[in-house]
Amino acid sequence: MNPLNHVAIIMDGNGRWGLKHKKSRNAGHKAGLVIVEKIIQETIKKKIKYLTLFAFSTENWKRPKKEINYLFNLLENFLKKKIKDLHSKNIKLKIIGFKKFSKKLNHLLDTSERKTSKNTKLQINLALNYGSRLELIYAIKKLIRVKKKIDTENINQYLLTKNIPEPDLLIRTGNTRRLSNFLLWQLAYSEIYFEKKLWPDFNEKDYSKIIKKFKKTKRNYGNI
Ligand code: IPE
Ligand code: IPE
Ligand code: MG
């Protein structure tokens, strides 16, 4: 049975779900947030140590302003309401991404990270304004600037995921089979599961089924 230390999720399909059920993409984002909470609970139950959630990509700025504003409002309200609860559950919150938001949101993200920084039960990495290519460009530029050797170890040290182990398992919901610029370097040897369900329809049972399959998969890492 494979140990499972880190699950990464591309939570895709909110917009389509919202349009189908409520005639509004934003309603899908709201519904998706409920699932985030359920999956966090289940991750703790399964004693998994790291959960990385793709919430907003560097490419998502191409979306209509109205949708972007809705998403960030949702995030802000969620954090304001839930950070105490996350902290009391011994959860550490880490933002991976380029923190270039409003002053207010930057501050909220910083204080949330600081407040929970010593927690040990589960680390949630929230990928916000995250893009793998930009992350790699910055890392390599930095290595050149400090005149360090460009090798795997040094690159790992300058990525936004510094000190976070590589994901064992990646799940993408929403019936789309692509990585959309998510953790391209870090996913080199992760097991990948594409789930047909849209994110707001995903549940603990689906999650457990995927984990069960993952645990039985033979991981080779190039070996036999
Ligand atoms: C993923 O759902 C959530 C974010 C990108 C914020 P989408 O909004 O991409 O939903 P679909 O893929 O359009 O249905
Ligand atoms: C990936 O989904 C980003 C998040 C889930 C946050 P997208 O919906 O943005 O991906 P594409 O554009 O369909 O590839
Ligand atoms: Mg999508």
Side-chain angles (χ1 to χ4, degrees):
M1 290 263 263
N2 295 318
L4 181 52
N5 190 38
H6 184 175
V7 179
I9 307 182
I10 302 176
M11 310 179 288
D12 195 28
N14 288 349
R16 279 165 283 162
W17 188 96
L19 284 178
K20 191 173 145 200
H21 295 276
K22 317 255 179 197
K23 296 190 172 68
S24 118
R25 290 182 50 85
N26 286 346
H29 293 309
K30 193 173 167 196
L33 198 54
V34 181
I35 311 304
V36 172
E37 291 195 68
K38 284 191 188 168
I39 294 304
I40 293 173
Q41 284 314 319
E42 194 61 29
T43 305
I44 293 174
K45 225 168 117 188
K46 293 193 179 334
K47 300 192 168 61
I48 297 163
K49 285 292 180 192
Y50 296 86
L51 175 66
T52 299
L53 300 172
F54 201 8
F56 196 86
S57 76
T58 45
E59 288 73 34
N60 286 145
W61 295 109
K62 293 175 190 165
R63 295 187 179 203
K65 224 177 168 165
K66 207 178 128 217
E67 179 167 340
I68 295 174
N69 286 341
Y70 187 86
L71 275 167
F72 283 102
N73 267 326
L74 210 59
L75 171 72
E76 201 177 308
N77 290 332
F78 176 81
L79 278 182
K80 274 190 202 150
K81 222 165 92 192
K82 300 282 174 171
I83 195 66
K84 255 195 188 157
D85 185 44
L86 294 177
H87 185 48
S88 73
K89 288 185 175 132
N90 198 12
I91 295 173
K92 173 175 173 174
L93 181 73
K94 161 104 183 123
I95 306 299
I96 57 167
F98 304 97
K99 276 195 219 143
K100 290 180 189 159
F101 310 108
S102 67
K103 227 177 166 177
K104 208 167 105 203
L105 182 58
N106 283 339
H107 180 73
L108 181 62
L109 294 173
D110 285 344
T111 50
S112 302
E113 282 188 292
R114 225 173 300 129
K115 186 178 172 79
T116 62
S117 67
K118 300 234 160 53
N119 293 342
T120 54
K121 183 144 229 129
L122 167 70
Q123 176 167 334
I124 298 176
N125 306 305
L126 192 62
L128 256 194
N129 194 21
Y130 173 84
S132 199
R133 287 184 174 173
L134 200 59
E135 176 191 35
L136 276 163
I137 290 168
Y138 278 135
I140 294 165
K141 273 189 178 166
K142 189 83 197 277
L143 282 177
I144 293 170
R145 212 179 315 132
V146 297
K147 295 196 170 61
K148 279 203 183 162
K149 202 169 129 195
I150 296 176
D151 60 13
T152 303
E153 207 170 295
N154 283 340
I155 289 177
N156 281 334
Q157 282 308 304
Y158 284 90
L159 293 175
L160 298 164
T161 52
K162 180 185 168 187
N163 297 330
I164 300 171
E166 287 169 11
D168 299 295
L169 169 61
L170 170 76
I171 300 170
R172 179 176 188 142
T173 61
N175 201 18
T176 306
R177 294 174 170 239
R178 56 179 171 248
L179 295 178
S180 304
N181 202 13
F182 188 49
L183 301 174
L184 302 179
W185 170 276
Q186 296 86 340
L187 292 171
Y189 268 107
S190 309
E191 301 299 322
I192 301 182
Y193 288 80
F194 293 109
E195 163 66 48
K196 285 204 172 80
K197 281 190 180 179
L198 304 173
W199 176 250
D201 288 328
F202 193 64
N203 61 40
E204 298 94 327
K205 254 195 182 159
D206 304 314
Y207 189 43
S208 298
K209 251 192 231 163
I210 294 171
I211 289 174
K212 215 170 155 188
K213 262 199 212 157
F214 161 84
K215 292 212 163 167
K216 288 186 193 148
T217 303
K218 186 164 171 278
R219 303 185 76 186
N220 291 345
Y221 300 98
N223 208 331
I224 52 168

